[in-house]
Amino acid sequence: MKSNSNQNLSKIRTLTTPETLGSSFRDPSGFLFKQQGEIFRQINLEYRNHYDHLMSSGLYQYLVEHTLMLTHKEIEIPPPDPITAYKIIKPNMLDFVSYPYEWCFSQLKHAALTTLRLQRNALKYGMCLKDASAYNIQFHHGKPVLIDSLSFETYIPGKPWIAYRQFCQHFLAPLSLAAYRDIRLFQLTKTFIDGIPLDLTSRLLPNRSRFSVGVWMHIHLHAKSQQKYANQKIKSSNNFNLNSMLGLIDSLENTVNGMKWKLIGAGWESYYHHDHNYSPNGLKSKEKIIHTWLKEINPTLVWDLGANTGKFSRIASQQNMRTLAFDIDPAAVEINYQQCLDQKETYLLPLVMDFTNPSPALGWQHRERLSLEDRGPANALLALALIHHLAIGNNVPLDRLAQFFSRLGKWLIIEFIPKEDSQVQRLLSYREDIFSSYNQATFEKIFSNFFKIHKVQSVHESLRNLYLMENRLL
Amino acid sequence: MTIFVLITLIPALFKGTFNLLLRGNEYLDPGSGSFILQLILASLLGFLFILKTYWQKLLRIFRRLFSKSNNEQEE
């Protein structure tokens, strides 16, 4: 009885006591905290002048009007740390927090250009971006926006850009590695969460990258300068005037704009033309079933796991359901993102994700960057033409698959593809068939332990079946 | 041919001078190196930015002049 009441007390405490977010500890200007499921930010007294300048100069207004920054409102609640507190603000909620290692090439490029635009506009209002972390940019309703209201400080003429190193490590390094070497090097941002070291970037880049003045100056020369002037005290200098600062921003902008990742010629062309084995009738029937079921369950947030270029994700996003379209292939995500831009889609966010190794928790105490699972659950999951890749391509037993999906979302629309299907046959063509339990009956039995199966429908002119399931645990 | 030699040699000489200035192999301290690089490049960046700004202004004036004369012709 006593232990029960203790548990209840601790539950109440976690609901009402503010909990500082694990990623919010570096900047002494303030911190984020969670209270009753909502996110707030405490602004500390030491940041008071900078914050007042941001709000009174018109910079905040300008950035919000031009969708460069997430809005916030000042609110009156008791601060978690009253001694240091100046104000509490409540930022507009994001649907999902994504990380640079989950972005495609153009997403990182657009986030970089947004950061430079923020810096150029801040200078117009007598402020300067003190932080150029890629993690401060999030895709909100289709656009990259700054989410950290404490990123600005009053501009001191003559002082170089404090965030220059960070900008180069977080943006230029991965972009240049992808443009000149290989898109898969983007994954280095997962290992180096404060950006890829420039000496490493310089060593990995091919010599031809030195022919780009921007890459040579901001990566190769920058890396050399870091080695040469290591541990050297910096004398105060008024040498870096506003024109030099604007020249630096201009040069970085030209360098970022010059970065291109070509799908064609890089070995990704075959992914471009997504081959599937549906007849036109089969494809129509699959779309219709998914459309009807989504309408019935009416989820607010949908995760499409293995979305390719987002054909089926759009069934959800076009019904104004916030949708994340995950795919392992950076080329598919790139195509999907370009389509989102062309069609001005605001309900769909394509992201790179390998479900055999989903994004882990990273950083200090494993709490700076959340794992994929910690950022869920979604209201609905789409797992279409996916499980044969995980069960046969990656040897994951069906019960573990069911368990994994049950942790990610409430509703599940899943497609079962039998062994007789040509796509599964292709997976089995070069290996021994050790998957005796991979069949429809076992699939239904195992998934029933975690989900209640509401509906089953076969896809016309195919061997495939679609299931609508509801999580028993969530 | 001369243009080709100039195009390839000038950046190489420019890069060589900077490489000599920055030669060293100490322990990494990314902060100071980034600051000092900006100070080294300050004049060049500032100069290029002013040049670009004036060039754009000049282009704008020319565009206005030409569009005016075109409009007059049309009238």
Side-chain angles (χ1 to χ4, degrees):
Chain A
M1 185 66 194
K2 199 177 177 183
S3 73
N4 262 351
S5 65
N6 278 346
Q7 273 177 2
N8 287 340
L9 256 179
S10 71
K11 260 187 192 169
I12 292 164
R13 250 183 232 134
T14 49
L15 275 176
T16 53
T17 26
E19 179 201 343
T20 310
L21 293 199
S23 57
S24 191
F25 62 90
R26 284 206 172 88
D27 189 356
S29 311
F31 57 89
L32 284 166
F33 63 94
K34 203 173 187 179
Q35 198 169 330
Q36 290 175 321
E38 290 191 287
I39 306 276
F40 301 92
R41 193 188 288 277
Q42 172 172 314
I43 297 168
N44 289 342
L45 277 167
E46 71 166 87
Y47 190 71
R48 177 184 186 150
N49 292 339
H50 301 294
Y51 178 75
D52 288 345
H53 190 163
L54 169 73
M55 301 308 288
S56 62
S57 63
L59 175 61
Y60 171 80
Q61 185 91 14
Y62 179 89
L63 297 178
V64 165
E65 276 171 11
H66 290 81
T67 53
L68 288 166
M69 187 175 170
L70 197 69
T71 54
H72 68 242
K73 55 182 179 190
E74 292 176 13
I75 56 153
E76 301 277 333
I77 56 165
D81 187 359
I83 301 165
T84 57
Y86 171 51
K87 273 184 180 165
I88 304 290
I89 57 172
K90 188 179 178 313
N92 195 358
M93 277 293 266
L94 293 164
D95 299 314
F96 184 81
V97 174
S98 62
Y99 300 131
Y101 42 81
E102 295 163 351
W103 297 344
C104 67
F105 185 84
S106 295
Q107 284 171 318
L108 187 65
K109 188 171 167 175
H110 292 158
L113 292 171
T114 300
T115 306
L116 294 173
R117 251 183 102 186
L118 285 160
Q119 167 69 344
R120 202 184 312 103
N121 285 302
L123 290 166
K124 282 184 200 162
Y125 290 86
M127 296 203 91
C128 181
L129 209 54
K130 64 170 181 168
D131 202 344
S133 164
Y135 296 94
N136 281 350
I137 303 289
Q138 285 297 322
F139 287 86
H140 186 56
H141 300 178
K143 282 191 175 163
V145 292
L146 177 77
I147 55 160
D148 184 3
S149 310
L150 312 183
S151 284
F152 299 98
E153 62 182 7
T154 309
Y155 173 60
I156 303 169
K159 200 177 153 194
W161 190 22
I162 196 166
Y164 173 56
R165 175 191 65 85
Q166 199 177 30
F167 181 85
C168 294
Q169 291 190 173
H170 279 234
F171 295 106
L172 280 194
L175 285 172
S176 58
L177 286 170
Y180 289 99
R181 241 345 148 197
D182 197 305
I183 189 73
R184 286 168 292 183
L185 288 169
F186 254 34
Q187 291 305 310
L188 279 178
T189 55
K190 213 185 271 180
T191 308
F192 300 102
I193 60 164
D194 194 26
I196 306 169
L198 297 182
D199 63 319
L200 176 65
T201 310
S202 177
R203 288 181 69 183
L204 290 172
L205 283 173
N207 278 334
R208 68 188 167 89
S209 67
R210 290 168 199 268
F211 287 104
S212 151
V213 176
V215 174
W216 169 73
M217 186 160 53
H218 301 300
I219 302 277
H220 296 292
L221 195 65
H222 197 165
K224 271 203 161 108
S225 175
Q226 288 180 333
Q227 285 179 313
K228 165 81 178 168
Y229 297 108
N231 295 331
Q232 192 155 319
K233 271 194 176 173
I234 304 160
K235 289 174 195 163
S236 62
S237 164
N238 290 329
N239 204 9
F240 205 76
N241 61 28
L242 185 60
N243 279 329
S244 304
M245 178 69 92
L246 292 169
L248 177 72
I249 305 307
D250 202 50
S251 165
L252 287 168
E253 208 165 45
N254 289 336
T255 311
V256 173
N257 275 322
M259 304 269 192
K260 303 264 185 305
W261 179 55
K262 288 176 191 154
L263 289 166
I264 295 174
W268 300 99
E269 302 94 312
S270 55
Y271 292 79
Y272 216 111
H273 310 286
H274 170 51
D275 58 331
H276 52 70
N277 50 356
Y278 295 109
S279 63
N281 271 344
L283 196 62
K284 262 187 197 165
S285 106
K286 182 171 169 177
E287 284 172 343
K288 199 180 166 193
I289 297 165
I290 295 164
H291 187 273
T292 314
W293 287 354
L294 278 172
K295 213 169 183 180
E296 274 174 36
I297 58 176
N298 195 26
T300 48
L301 184 63
V302 179
W303 289 8
D304 186 356
L305 321 175
N308 201 279
T309 55
K311 187 174 180 56
F312 298 105
S313 321
R314 283 183 171 79
I315 299 176
S317 65
Q318 282 166 0
Q319 294 183 68
N320 294 351
M321 297 162 186
R322 298 261 168 231
T323 309
L324 303 176
F326 296 104
D327 202 88
I328 187 174
D329 174 5
V333 178
E334 180 71 36
I335 294 163
N336 197 352
Y337 179 63
Q338 292 298 341
Q339 201 178 329
C340 288
L341 295 178
D342 292 345
Q343 309 291 325
K344 295 188 172 62
E345 290 174 274
T346 56
Y347 281 86
L348 185 63
L349 176 63
L351 292 170
V352 178
M353 185 71 63
D354 174 2
F355 282 97
T356 64
N357 180 23
S359 296
L362 292 172
W364 178 245
Q365 290 185 315
H366 308 289
R367 289 180 65 211
E368 276 189 82
R369 310 291 161 229
L370 301 177
S371 70
L372 175 70
E373 199 180 313
D374 288 339
R375 284 174 279 163
N379 301 114
L381 305 171
L382 299 180
L384 310 168
L386 175 73
I387 63 158
H388 60 298
H389 287 292
L390 299 172
I392 292 172
N394 197 46
N395 290 25
V396 182
L398 286 174
D399 59 331
R400 293 203 187 201
L401 269 177
Q403 190 184 42
F404 178 58
F405 291 142
S406 73
R407 290 201 201 124
L408 296 186
K410 182 171 167 57
W411 290 93
L412 172 66
I413 296 177
I414 190 166
E415 185 177 24
F416 183 79
I417 303 180
K419 268 189 194 166
E420 298 74 32
D421 189 284
S422 64
Q423 294 288 347
V424 183
Q425 282 301 313
R426 202 156 71 173
L427 285 174
L428 287 170
S429 61
Y430 55 90
R431 59 179 305 182
E432 195 188 338
D433 183 0
I434 50 163
F435 309 99
S436 54
S437 59
Y438 186 84
N439 57 62
Q440 198 165 337
T442 319
F443 165 79
E444 285 178 9
K445 194 180 158 207
I446 288 174
F447 270 71
S448 300
N449 295 332
F450 297 88
F451 294 90
K452 185 182 173 194
I453 299 176
H454 282 278
K455 287 178 183 177
V456 190
Q457 246 180 287
S458 60
V459 178
H460 288 179
E461 297 169 14
S462 86
L463 301 165
R464 304 173 170 201
N465 280 293
L466 283 165
Y467 290 80
L468 174 67
M469 304 186 183
E470 188 182 2
N471 203 323
R472 291 185 193 275
L473 310 168
L474 285 178
Chain B
M1 182 64 191
T2 325
I3 292 167
F4 176 74
V5 172
L6 281 173
I7 287 170
T8 46
L9 268 183
I10 289 173
L13 283 171
F14 185 59
K15 286 176 187 180
T17 319
F18 269 105
N19 288 348
L20 276 174
L21 267 172
L22 299 174
R23 199 176 288 160
N25 199 20
E26 287 89 357
Y27 177 73
L28 277 179
D29 172 24
S32 40
S34 303
F35 256 60
I36 292 166
L37 178 66
Q38 290 182 74
L39 294 173
I40 292 172
L41 296 173
S43 315
L44 178 72
L45 291 167
F47 172 72
L48 289 175
F49 182 73
I50 292 169
L51 205 70
K52 190 180 169 183
T53 315
Y54 278 104
W55 175 246
Q56 282 171 342
K57 273 184 187 168
L58 207 68
L59 278 178
R60 244 175 275 149
I61 292 167
F62 272 113
R63 263 188 218 131
R64 249 181 250 155
L65 277 174
F66 278 110
S67 62
K68 261 186 191 175
S69 58
N70 281 346
N71 286 345
E72 278 164 13
Q73 274 178 2
E74 278 169 23
E75 281 166 15

